[in-house]
Amino acid sequence: MLKRQDRNKTTPGNVFGDQHGIESGSLSFNVVDVDIPGNNNLSVEFRRTLAATDPLKQVNNYAYAYPGTRLGDWAMALPKIEGTFDAKVGWITSDPSRPTRNCSITQPSYMEPPPGQEYPSTFRAHMFWNPPTLHYPDGSSALLVHNSSGMPVPTSSGPYLWTTTRQDAASCIGALKNQNDSLPIDSQERIFGRGEGYLVTRADGTKYWFDWMALESILPSMSSAQNPSGGVMEVTLQQATLALYPTRIEDRFGNWVTYTYSNKSNESVKLDKIESSDERIINVGYVNGYLTTVTANGRTWSYVYQSNPSGVPFIPLSAMRLVEVSNPDSSRWLYSGVSHPPAPPPVIRPCDDLSWTQGVNTDATTVGDTDFTGYTVDAPSGARAVFRVQAVLLGRSAVEDGCYSPGASPAGSTPLQVPRRFLGGYRPALTGKKVTGPGMPPALWKYGYQSDIGFAPMANGTTRTRILGPDGALDTYTFGNTYSDDEGLLLSHTRVANAQPHQVLMGETHTYAIGTNAPGFPKPVGYFPDAFDRVPATHLRPKLSTTKVMQSRTFKWEVANSCSGTGSAPCLDDLGRPTMVTESSSPAP
């Protein structure tokens, strides 16, 4: 079982579980330790994940830490719906008559929460609210938007009030399974557990019952407010990131998998058991709140931390590092180094002087270093990978709505101005990867990133990523980063033989249904406050063509035009899927 080729479902070729976000530079790890095959396609697996470029969080004026989980600095990779809210009130809406009905809202505008409870004029909702988002174990995600655009949904059950660009549809579950109404009304456990759950149906008919609440983290958001006695004071809002986990997954044939938990709604998720209708079972064991064993079919996987959990009770904001995972055959995963980088430097007074937007990042593909340190993974095979993470400046172009002044300022001072929409900033990114091992020469990858950053009317900006591989080939990826337009879309990819810079090995370009080239697109999948600030997550922007030039030939794939009923428009259905395509090849010019 340990030798199965698909056991570690990772990015192809990345046997260390690493997944690289080419546009953003993000580095994460996604490793399946236990995978039990069955007589249906529902997974019974134990998977773990690490967001290695998610930096340390500020927990007070002086200290930074990273929210710990039952796996230390790693986390259990389970399906979940996650959002961030004011910790005083939890997962609520702006409906004044029924705020805790977070799923069955009566009008789309209620989906956004009200301002911060204690200082409403200082903490507007957009400053602390992270909207409910679906996350799946493989690392993919989708924003839940209100189904008010007439997108196709299942014809049975419902009503389906929510949808996503991935064709997920969600109806509501009246109460959570770990709700506790016997507690005082102002207790944190009761506040976090008093909402509704979501029954999500995916495009293939698989259903997920998200009705078990867990607390991911509570972190402060700081600003300033007018002091009633005069002057300005610093104020804090505690941001609670909450997650709904599934208790049941069922496919369209009635096969099912159930998940059993034992955490309260204000505690980190504590998975105890996974069981399926075909009698596959995984049990999870803990010591002092930290996961130490996973067992299946009489075999045990063991988890070791940098200190013995038997003497360290679970501390949510003081994560122990996971340093070893021992497989039943005595092979091991070993982890060392910094798993979460320091918080990158902020851009000071970003609207006063926009010269920072012209900053140029160091391009690691042009640097001659071959020996660097970073987060280190030793795989069971004996191979070792070192991942280097550094801060880079990334952002987007044509950003609208300019700047505003959050909080309050002392009389006579210059108010702090910040962009109303995300403009850019420093973020940790993967800049190097080195793989060594017995009987193999060192293999080295280097990465460089650069963005066009600016307010409107600047337009047609891009983000470029360069990857220099161990074979000497240089790949350049160009993504659109224009606000509310082509943000996040891969526009082109070229590969050049680095030893012969003018020898292009491959080049491809892509076009999409944006602008006026496809009537009706980009197409919103539903209502979302500030939808144009999150176009990749709220709009369908289907691909219209790909042109690839390789080995002196041109290959083209494109959506046909003038199908029956479309006039001269591209042949796309309501979900943006092509109904007719043409493929061709010809000698390159």
Side-chain angles (χ1 to χ4, degrees):
M1 296 299 294
L2 293 175
K3 303 298 184 184
R4 284 180 57 192
Q5 293 300 306
D6 64 343
R7 180 172 165 271
N8 291 316
K9 299 182 177 67
T10 62
T11 302
N14 296 354
V15 296
F16 299 92
D18 50 305
Q19 297 180 326
H20 175 219
I22 296 175
E23 179 192 12
S24 65
S26 65
L27 171 65
S28 61
F29 294 87
N30 195 300
V31 179
V32 179
D33 290 328
V34 186
D35 183 8
I36 307 176
N39 58 17
N40 58 68
N41 289 329
L42 294 179
S43 295
V44 175
E45 64 178 19
F46 182 81
R47 186 191 293 248
R48 53 191 167 87
T49 184
L50 170 70
T53 45
D54 195 7
L56 299 176
K57 312 299 182 183
Q58 187 170 4
V59 296
N60 56 45
N61 286 334
Y62 313 101
Y64 288 80
Y66 195 83
T69 76
R70 308 288 179 178
L71 267 171
D73 51 350
W74 285 63
M76 287 177 274
L78 295 166
K80 63 181 178 180
I81 300 178
E82 183 180 82
T84 301
F85 311 90
D86 182 347
K88 281 185 174 293
V89 292
W91 195 320
I92 67 169
T93 73
S94 57
D95 185 344
S97 63
R98 50 200 301 272
T100 61
R101 303 295 90 185
N102 51 282
C103 178
S104 58
I105 60 175
T106 56
Q107 61 186 55
S109 60
Y110 285 155
M111 68 181 297
E112 186 172 357
Q117 299 297 293
E118 192 168 356
Y119 302 100
S121 61
T122 297
F123 293 103
R124 306 304 300 173
H126 75 274
M127 296 178 65
F128 63 86
W129 177 58
N130 187 30
T133 303
L134 267 166
H135 296 274
Y136 290 108
D138 62 0
S140 61
S141 63
L143 184 68
L144 283 173
V145 301
H146 194 268
N147 184 25
S148 54
S149 296
M151 295 297 293
V153 295
T155 55
S156 60
S157 301
Y160 295 95
L161 299 180
W162 305 89
T163 187
T164 74
T165 57
R166 298 168 60 94
Q167 303 169 37
D168 304 301
S171 56
C172 301
I173 299 173
L176 305 182
K177 281 191 165 56
N178 57 341
Q179 176 180 325
N180 190 345
D181 290 338
S182 64
L183 297 170
I185 195 169
D186 60 347
S187 69
Q188 189 182 78
E189 181 184 348
R190 182 167 178 178
I191 289 172
F192 291 171
R194 63 185 177 177
E196 296 175 314
Y198 297 77
L199 175 55
V200 174
T201 302
R202 303 197 71 179
D204 64 358
T206 305
K207 296 180 179 181
Y208 292 69
W209 280 257
F210 289 100
D211 55 359
W212 189 276
M213 181 66 76
L215 173 64
E216 306 289 276
S217 67
I218 292 184
L219 295 166
S221 177
M222 288 163 278
S223 188
S224 55
Q226 294 291 342
N227 194 319
S229 60
V232 174
M233 60 181 180
E234 184 179 87
V235 293
T236 301
L237 178 145
Q238 297 295 331
Q239 297 174 272
T241 297
L242 303 172
L244 287 168
Y245 286 88
T247 56
R248 182 182 180 92
I249 300 175
E250 183 179 305
D251 69 15
R252 61 193 179 96
F253 304 108
N255 303 301
W256 51 260
V257 174
T258 59
Y259 297 79
T260 303
Y261 310 90
S262 58
N263 61 281
K264 299 176 181 178
S265 63
N266 62 337
E267 295 177 339
S268 178
V269 65
K270 189 168 181 282
L271 173 69
D272 295 317
K273 188 177 185 179
I274 304 173
E275 186 172 5
S276 69
S277 54
D278 57 1
E279 299 185 354
R280 293 173 286 167
I281 298 176
I282 294 176
N283 289 290
V284 185
Y286 299 83
V287 173
N288 272 353
Y290 288 95
L291 188 152
T292 54
T293 58
V294 174
T295 57
N297 294 332
R299 292 174 296 172
T300 300
W301 286 254
S302 300
Y303 298 78
V304 180
Y305 304 87
Q306 88 268 20
S307 59
N308 187 350
S310 63
V312 182
F314 178 63
I315 305 174
L317 271 176
S318 183
M320 294 197 301
R321 284 194 305 107
L322 179 68
V323 295
E324 179 182 321
V325 177
S326 179
N327 296 316
D329 63 355
S330 298
S331 64
R332 299 182 301 168
W333 290 94
L334 299 176
Y335 301 96
S336 60
V338 176
S339 59
H340 294 285
V347 177
I348 305 300
R349 302 191 72 90
C351 289
D352 293 0
D353 180 1
L354 292 175
S355 61
W356 65 270
T357 63
Q358 306 303 310
V360 177
N361 298 317
T362 299
D363 186 350
T365 66
T366 64
V367 177
D369 63 329
T370 58
D371 188 18
F372 49 82
T373 60
Y375 190 63
T376 301
V377 180
D378 289 281
S381 64
R384 166 175 290 185
V386 180
F387 300 87
R388 178 178 61 188
V389 171
Q390 296 174 303
V392 300
L393 180 64
L394 294 174
R396 55 184 179 175
S397 62
V399 177
E400 300 175 355
D401 295 334
C403 298
Y404 79 112
S405 297
S409 301
S413 67
T414 302
L416 171 66
Q417 292 274 309
V418 299
R420 188 173 296 275
R421 312 291 180 190
F422 174 73
L423 179 63
Y426 291 94
R427 64 177 60 176
L430 176 67
T431 61
K433 171 184 173 181
K434 184 177 183 180
V435 176
T436 57
M440 61 179 292
L444 190 66
W445 289 259
K446 297 180 180 181
Y447 308 86
Y449 311 88
Q450 192 62 49
S451 286
D452 298 319
I453 305 174
F455 287 110
M458 175 188 185
N460 302 319
T462 62
T463 291
R464 285 86 61 196
T465 299
R466 287 156 54 93
I467 303 177
L468 180 63
D471 58 356
L474 179 67
D475 288 278
T476 301
Y477 298 85
T478 301
F479 296 88
N481 77 351
T482 304
Y483 173 88
S484 78
D485 187 48
D486 62 3
E487 187 176 353
L489 295 176
L490 177 63
L491 304 180
S492 67
H493 170 209
T494 61
R495 170 169 290 185
V496 176
N498 196 49
Q500 304 175 47
H502 299 294
Q503 181 187 359
V504 178
L505 301 177
M506 185 275 293
E508 64 181 9
T509 58
H510 310 277
T511 66
Y512 301 87
I514 54 178
T516 60
N517 57 358
F521 292 92
K523 181 178 181 178
V525 297
Y527 173 82
F528 180 78
D530 300 325
F532 285 103
D533 197 30
R534 297 174 183 257
V535 162
T538 59
H539 287 70
L540 296 177
R541 300 175 297 169
K543 183 184 293 185
L544 295 181
S545 70
T546 294
T547 302
K548 178 181 289 188
V549 179
M550 184 170 58
Q551 295 180 347
S552 301
R553 292 198 68 84
T554 298
F555 302 88
K556 190 164 187 177
W557 175 98
E558 63 182 333
V559 178
N561 286 300
S562 303
C563 293
S564 176
T566 67
S568 60
C571 301
L572 299 169
D573 68 8
D574 289 341
L575 293 171
R577 300 172 300 188
T579 59
M580 181 182 295
V581 299
T582 60
E583 300 181 25
S584 61
S585 64
S586 61

